[in-house]
Amino acid sequence: MAMEKDLNPNSPRIRKLKDNSYPNTPTSRMSNNQRDNHYHNVPNSPRDYNYTPSSPTARIRHRRRSNEIPAEVNRSNVSNLLLGDKNKYRSMWIRTCSSLWMLGGVVFIIYMGHLYIWAMVVVIQIFMTRELFFLLRRAHEERRLPGFRLLNWHFFFTAMLFVYGRILQQQLVNTVSSDRFIYKLVSGLIKYQMVICYFLYIAGFMWFIVTLKKKMYKYQFGQYAWTHMILIIVFIQSSFTVANIFEGIFWFLLPAALIAMNDVAAYFFGFYFGKTPLIKLSPKKTWEGFIGASVATIISAFFFANVIGQFQWFTCPRKDLSTGWLHCDPGPLFRPEYYPLPSWIAPFSPWKEISILPVQWHAFSLGLFASVIAPFGGFFASGFKRAFKIKDFGDSIPGHGGFTDRMDCQMVMAVFAYIYIQSFIVHQDYSVEMILDQISRSLGHEEQKMLYVKLGDILRHKLKAGF
Amino acid sequence: MQKENTGDAATSARTTRVRHRKRNSDVVAGAKPNGSHLLVNNRSKYKSFLVRAYSTIWMIGGFALIVYLGHLYITAMVVVIQIFMARELFNLLRKTHEDKQLPGFRLLNWHFFFTAMLFVYGRILSQRLVNTVTPDKVLYRLVTNLIKYHMAICYSLYISGFVWFILTLKKKMYKYQFSQYAWTHMILIVVFTQSSFTVANIFEGIFWFLLPASLIVINDIFAYICGFFFGRTPLIKLSPKKTWEGFIGASITTMISAFLLANVMGRFLWLTCPREDLSTGWLHCDPGPLFKQETHAIPGWISDWFPWKEISILPVQWHALCLGLFASIIAPFGGFFASGFKRAFKVKDFGDSIPGHGGITDRMDCQMVMAVFAYIYHQSFVVPQSLSVDKLLDQIITSLTLEEQQALFMKLGQMLQEKVIGS
């Protein structure tokens, strides 16, 4: 998500490229001979930048070329911004290519439906976790601790079971309610879900303590804490994302699109107008890019919500884990309301009135958050990389870095979207449904009638007391 | 009182600790090399035993008083303990040199602490708060609105802390600041998970807080005593003073005492009734089937020895056996974790608030693991079993708002009518 080439030869970024102070990226692990050999195989088109897990060459070739250019460019004060970079067109081309591929993939998955989007989120999550697990491992200690990596994945599996079990509990029950036997099995599992996950966690905890090795205590505790932080960060945002998806793809698509739009708009506004640096943490970001992107994001949030809100595929919640088409009553938020145009605009446009979905006003808040606060997720990631002297979290995506680089702002946005939905877009029915479910499952008919009578008494008493 | 000792004489307490350690190592130099670190061979163990016993008695006395006073006071005690634990842990990995260059950074820690407190206790006590203010209309509306937007409020507080953190990142201090940030999160998670579950247990009935806590204390004390008298074989490299004899003796004692203690505690309504609101008065309720005595006839071959023909057992005593089993076998791993942690970061104790025991975190390390287990056990095995009309009714009243209760009432009516028509 960061802007590209940094031209000032005295800037810390170029200096860093010259030292080998990135201990963990594939580039620094190669020797100078290897790097020179790779450098001679310069490709001529972006199509050669195919992704393989061990292709540090693409990244190196980038860096070398940008290293050579600055010597020739005029060193003005503006030079460390994107404006003067002749090489920016090539990097923009690469970024555009991978962006288009990613966009195409996401559109396809959305067309396929809720379950496939969930699968995509899980896959992204696995890749992010893998990148982050690798980040602070030290190969020397790892060799003396066999099975330690397995512990990480044990906690990952436990967290996955816990988080998705809680979120998709009701959907799972609805899916299997037709088959008596599986229904009993699944409701039993759900009832004891917390216990199962807890015992898995405690098993991992005990395993950790039993495998503590003398003189490696500090490393092991550090890794344990690091694992917890990673899993918390990754799972909170992905669980909220999945919860949003099953509320209706709209609530997943709109925030994600706003972040992508904010990124792209900031890039282009910085490309053409960028002059004043925004924050020391990310020297390539500019105030012009920031403000231009904010305005663009808020406006496009308004229109985008209108466009997306008209499709039932996006606005209907999914009550079970099926993959078919959805039909539902979208609710008052998605019914168009008609406002007559004020008279001074009416002569200019052919329409007499505009239709606005009430959800578009909510989209304003989402757009505002996406443009003002979500970039702080990016700043956090930049600061983190700077603190631990890492260039990128990984190199899965050419031109963009790793998955975590793409998802850093999305994470903040997903959490906000979930909380916004739960607080301001009212859902009252779930706990009532859960208790009704419990009543019908665990009480007999006579007891249900007794409950009904007693509840009626209590409510009547409360009403009399003056509500 | 111990508090006065620690309050005005922190340095003297520290010297006490130093004197302790010195004396132990002096004696050890003269004792046998193999068993030299075990408590059995330590001559000055009697003096340290007295100091520990003295502070233990004070703690138990204070604790009993608070339990007598009630749910709200126990919650206050938990909150105070939590604040002290967080403070100890925050102070643990700070480096004074860096801190001088970062004014206001400690304030950030307490901001996150306050946010976590609001979030956690808001979620747990929200319905009880509503039940407390039900008579007053204005307060009721205010409180229900606050609860509706509770998550949004806490999230905004958290995000403002996050943004503040990013804006105060200082060049060359990035690594320290990020580590402190991660450390703060870990501390708050560890402290608040267990204290929130503890408070949830308390409001389910003091029994579900008192029994697990007592079991941990009993396990500790008997492990100490059994190790004192019989300890020979070391248990684990992490804690060289723990022995297998102490461990096994304590396990057996804990399980037996769990069985008996549950019987004793289960007879008091004060301990077994859940608290539906935040009042402090006496409680009357129907304790539920778990606490109703069942009499079992003693088999013939035992009854010849005993004068009683049958024994009365509360069903909850079987649950207490599970709690006792966990407290003796798995909860000590919390202590091992804390020992390993102290060894890893070369810290002798988490603090020195309690003479003879160390800091508050040293006392609470096993309690934390136990509190989480007790909550999960209670939610999974105790609550569903005792599901009856009254329990469900209580659940409906405590966890739904008035509008939701009315919606439930109407839907239930519809469901019953459909069943009548259908059957």
Side-chain angles (χ1 to χ4, degrees):
Chain A
M1 55 140 262
M3 304 301 151
E4 280 315 307
K5 298 309 155 227
D6 189 335
L7 278 206
N8 186 347
N10 297 325
S11 76
R13 194 154 295 216
I14 295 289
R15 234 183 293 127
K16 280 208 181 109
L17 289 169
K18 290 185 182 141
D19 325 330
N20 282 340
S21 49
Y22 297 121
N24 279 324
T25 55
T27 60
S28 58
R29 286 194 220 117
M30 299 174 68
S31 68
N32 278 327
N33 280 340
Q34 283 175 298
R35 247 180 253 130
D36 284 338
N37 285 336
H38 281 254
Y39 176 65
H40 289 305
N41 301 329
V42 173
N44 291 322
S45 77
R47 263 197 306 281
D48 291 344
Y49 292 122
N50 280 325
Y51 161 64
T52 61
S54 55
S55 65
T57 53
R59 174 102 343 109
I60 304 169
R61 272 180 244 121
H62 263 273
R63 301 272 137 67
R64 267 306 157 89
R65 209 173 294 119
S66 70
N67 234 345
E68 294 178 357
I69 300 274
E72 307 158 11
V73 168
N74 189 5
R75 280 167 219 154
S76 61
N77 291 340
V78 185
S79 61
N80 62 329
L81 294 173
L82 210 51
L83 212 44
D85 189 351
K86 297 232 191 333
N87 206 34
K88 64 184 177 176
Y89 291 102
R90 179 174 275 275
S91 63
M92 183 168 90
W93 175 246
I94 294 166
R95 279 179 77 101
T96 316
C97 260
S98 34
S99 305
L100 287 175
W101 271 110
M102 290 196 290
L103 188 66
V106 170
V107 165
F108 176 68
I109 301 256
I110 288 180
Y111 173 76
M112 296 289 290
H114 303 77
L115 213 57
Y116 291 90
I117 303 179
W118 175 33
M120 175 184 83
V121 167
V122 169
V123 165
I124 289 181
Q125 191 183 309
I126 293 178
F127 276 101
M128 269 182 70
T129 317
R130 212 168 68 121
E131 275 175 18
L132 291 168
F133 277 162
F134 280 174
L135 212 52
L136 292 191
R137 275 175 56 213
R138 276 181 256 158
H140 174 68
E141 276 89 342
E142 281 296 318
R143 261 180 261 129
R144 298 169 60 186
L145 290 170
F148 201 63
R149 280 185 59 196
L150 195 55
L151 188 65
N152 285 346
W153 291 106
H154 171 88
F155 284 124
F156 179 86
F157 173 71
T158 305
M160 176 116 67
L161 205 67
F162 176 67
V163 151
Y164 291 126
R166 279 183 82 90
I167 293 184
L168 295 180
Q169 166 172 324
Q170 200 54 38
Q171 271 87 357
L172 191 60
V173 168
N174 289 344
T175 313
V176 301
S177 55
S178 41
D179 187 330
R180 283 262 124 196
F181 173 67
I182 298 187
Y183 180 77
K184 271 205 185 90
L185 180 67
V186 167
S187 0
L189 275 179
I190 286 177
K191 200 159 94 164
Y192 297 113
Q193 182 230 355
M194 263 189 106
V195 181
I196 294 173
C197 293
Y198 180 71
F199 274 107
L200 282 175
Y201 178 78
I202 284 286
F205 178 72
M206 287 170 55
W207 178 4
F208 168 72
I209 288 179
V210 165
T211 60
L212 281 175
K213 241 178 154 166
K214 237 183 150 84
K215 298 198 197 323
M216 312 234 11
Y217 290 152
K218 190 163 184 178
Y219 176 72
Q220 287 180 288
F221 272 94
Q223 289 293 307
Y224 189 76
W226 180 232
T227 301
H228 278 66
M229 287 301 293
I230 292 175
L231 289 178
I232 286 166
I233 290 177
V234 168
F235 274 96
I236 287 183
Q237 57 94 13
S238 72
S239 69
F240 286 174
T241 308
V242 171
N244 286 345
I245 290 170
F246 281 87
E247 282 298 321
I249 299 184
F250 179 89
W251 300 108
F252 159 73
L253 189 56
L254 183 65
L258 289 179
I259 294 286
M261 162 121 268
N262 191 56
D263 245 5
V264 168
Y267 189 82
F268 282 110
F269 275 95
F271 195 87
Y272 288 115
F273 306 118
K275 288 207 189 343
T276 341
L278 175 63
I279 190 173
K280 281 191 297 273
L281 271 178
S282 299
K284 293 206 197 96
K285 295 207 181 285
T286 58
W287 274 102
E288 291 83 8
F290 184 72
I291 294 179
S294 303
V295 170
T297 307
I298 295 179
I299 294 176
S300 58
F302 194 74
F303 288 111
F304 203 45
N306 194 347
V307 167
I308 304 184
Q310 305 190 350
F311 296 95
Q312 277 206 342
W313 183 241
F314 294 137
T315 59
C316 289
R318 174 76 82 171
K319 298 279 182 207
D320 56 17
L321 299 177
S322 64
T323 49
W325 286 103
L326 278 178
H327 302 283
C328 65
D329 171 21
L333 271 182
F334 294 99
R335 291 203 199 97
E337 291 178 2
Y338 296 95
Y339 296 93
L341 282 177
S343 47
W344 53 274
I345 304 186
F348 292 106
S349 78
W351 304 287
K352 287 277 170 258
E353 53 184 18
I354 47 176
S355 72
I356 295 188
L357 305 175
V359 77
Q360 291 180 256
W361 307 114
H362 288 293
F364 265 136
S365 322
L366 289 177
L368 187 64
F369 187 88
S371 47
V372 176
I373 310 254
F376 279 87
F379 299 153
F380 185 85
S382 299
F384 184 83
K385 287 189 280 192
R386 217 170 269 267
F388 294 94
K389 297 191 179 25
I390 303 166
K391 187 67 190 165
D392 277 312
F393 283 105
D395 46 15
S396 315
I397 312 177
H400 289 267
F403 275 98
T404 317
D405 292 293
R406 285 293 86 215
M407 299 298 288
D408 48 18
C409 297
Q410 296 276 7
M411 295 201 276
V412 179
M413 188 72 198
V415 176
F416 173 75
Y418 176 80
I419 291 182
Y420 187 84
I421 293 171
Q422 297 295 327
S423 306
F424 298 105
I425 302 186
V426 186
H427 299 285
Q428 266 178 352
D429 288 338
Y430 279 139
S431 47
V432 170
E433 276 177 13
M434 281 200 303
I435 292 193
L436 262 182
D437 199 35
Q438 217 174 11
I439 291 175
S440 60
R441 262 191 283 137
S442 21
L443 293 184
H445 192 65
E446 291 305 317
E447 293 174 320
Q448 289 176 15
K449 277 201 277 201
M450 211 161 49
L451 180 69
Y452 182 71
V453 165
K454 286 193 178 178
L455 186 58
D457 283 337
I458 291 177
L459 287 177
R460 235 165 295 152
H461 182 73
K462 279 195 176 178
L463 281 170
K464 250 190 265 180
F467 278 94
Chain B
M1 291 197 24
Q2 79 215 42
K3 288 214 177 52
E4 280 162 10
N5 279 340
T6 56
D8 62 8
T11 46
S12 70
R14 241 175 262 131
T15 52
T16 315
R17 170 101 352 100
V18 168
R19 265 182 254 122
H20 263 272
R21 300 271 138 69
K22 283 257 175 75
R23 208 175 296 118
N24 282 348
S25 51
D26 283 345
V27 172
V28 159
K32 275 185 288 189
N34 283 343
S36 59
H37 51 269
L38 290 175
L39 210 52
V40 176
N41 299 328
N42 192 340
R43 302 241 175 224
S44 76
K45 62 184 178 176
Y46 292 103
K47 179 169 274 270
S48 63
F49 177 75
L50 267 179
V51 172
R52 278 179 82 106
Y54 193 65
S55 35
T56 308
I57 292 175
W58 269 110
M59 287 197 292
I60 291 181
F63 187 66
L65 175 71
I66 303 258
V67 168
Y68 174 77
L69 285 179
H71 304 77
L72 214 53
Y73 291 89
I74 304 178
T75 308
M77 176 186 82
V78 167
V79 168
V80 165
I81 288 181
Q82 189 184 305
I83 293 179
F84 277 102
M85 268 181 70
R87 209 167 69 122
E88 273 177 20
L89 291 168
F90 279 160
N91 285 348
L92 207 57
L93 291 191
R94 274 174 57 212
K95 289 182 226 164
T96 31
H97 174 67
E98 276 89 342
D99 256 9
K100 268 184 244 130
Q101 301 188 35
L102 289 170
F105 200 63
R106 281 186 62 198
L107 193 55
L108 188 65
N109 285 347
W110 292 106
H111 170 88
F112 283 124
F113 181 88
F114 173 72
T115 306
M117 176 118 63
L118 203 67
F119 176 67
V120 152
Y121 291 121
R123 277 182 82 92
I124 292 182
L125 298 179
S126 58
Q127 200 53 40
R128 290 174 168 90
L129 187 61
V130 169
N131 288 345
T132 313
V133 301
T134 317
D136 186 332
K137 275 208 152 173
V138 171
L139 268 183
Y140 180 79
R141 211 163 292 166
L142 180 67
V143 167
T144 30
N145 279 336
L146 273 181
I147 288 174
K148 195 160 103 163
Y149 297 114
H150 165 254
M151 264 189 105
I153 294 172
C154 293
Y155 181 72
S156 333
L157 282 175
Y158 178 79
I159 281 287
S160 49
F162 178 72
V163 168
W164 177 5
F165 168 71
I166 289 180
L167 291 177
T168 60
L169 282 173
K170 240 176 154 169
K171 241 183 147 87
K172 298 199 197 319
M173 313 234 14
Y174 291 151
K175 190 164 185 178
Y176 176 73
Q177 286 180 290
F178 271 94
S179 320
Q180 289 293 309
Y181 189 75
W183 180 231
T184 301
H185 279 65
M186 287 301 292
I187 293 175
L188 290 178
I189 288 166
V190 165
V191 167
F192 274 96
T193 309
Q194 58 94 11
S195 74
S196 68
F197 286 171
T198 308
V199 171
N201 283 345
I202 292 171
F203 280 89
E204 290 292 334
I206 299 183
F207 180 88
W208 298 105
F209 159 71
L210 193 55
L211 184 65
S214 324
L215 290 179
I216 294 288
V217 170
I218 288 177
N219 192 56
D220 243 3
I221 292 177
F222 277 96
Y224 190 80
I225 291 178
C226 292
F228 196 88
F229 290 118
F230 310 118
R232 296 251 179 290
T233 341
L235 176 63
I236 190 173
K237 279 191 301 269
L238 270 178
S239 299
K241 291 209 199 90
K242 296 205 182 288
T243 59
W244 274 103
E245 291 83 10
F247 186 71
I248 293 179
S251 303
I252 298 175
T253 327
T254 306
M255 286 182 64
I256 295 175
S257 56
F259 195 75
L260 299 173
L261 206 59
N263 195 345
V264 167
M265 287 189 202
R267 293 171 200 271
F268 297 96
L269 275 185
W270 182 240
L271 298 178
T272 58
C273 287
R275 176 75 81 171
E276 305 292 349
D277 56 18
L278 300 178
S279 64
T280 49
W282 286 103
L283 278 179
H284 301 282
C285 65
D286 170 20
L290 269 184
F291 294 99
K292 293 207 180 77
Q293 299 199 349
E294 291 175 4
T295 44
H296 296 272
I298 297 184
W301 54 275
I302 303 186
S303 64
D304 295 333
W305 298 9
F306 284 106
W308 306 288
K309 287 280 170 250
E310 50 187 22
I311 46 175
S312 67
I313 295 187
L314 304 176
V316 79
Q317 290 181 256
W318 308 114
H319 289 295
L321 273 183
C322 295
L323 288 178
L325 187 65
F326 186 88
S328 48
I329 296 191
I330 303 204
F333 278 84
F336 298 154
F337 185 85
S339 299
F341 184 84
K342 286 189 282 194
R343 219 169 270 267
F345 293 94
K346 298 190 179 27
V347 172
K348 190 66 191 166
D349 276 313
F350 283 106
D352 45 18
S353 318
I354 311 177
H357 289 269
I360 294 193
T361 316
D362 291 293
R363 286 293 89 217
M364 300 296 291
D365 46 23
C366 297
Q367 297 275 9
M368 295 200 275
V369 180
M370 189 69 197
V372 176
F373 173 74
Y375 176 79
I376 290 179
Y377 186 85
H378 181 76
Q379 293 297 102
S380 308
F381 297 107
V382 172
V383 164
Q385 270 185 8
S386 59
L387 220 49
S388 62
V389 172
D390 290 320
K391 284 285 161 188
L392 261 179
L393 209 55
D394 286 336
Q395 204 179 4
I396 292 173
I397 294 177
T398 51
S399 47
L400 295 182
T401 63
L402 190 62
E403 291 81 19
E404 288 174 331
Q405 290 171 18
Q406 286 172 327
L408 178 69
F409 183 70
M410 283 193 292
K411 286 193 180 173
L412 185 57
Q414 281 173 353
M415 202 169 76
L416 286 175
Q417 273 183 345
E418 280 166 15
K419 275 203 178 166
V420 167
I421 295 176
S423 65

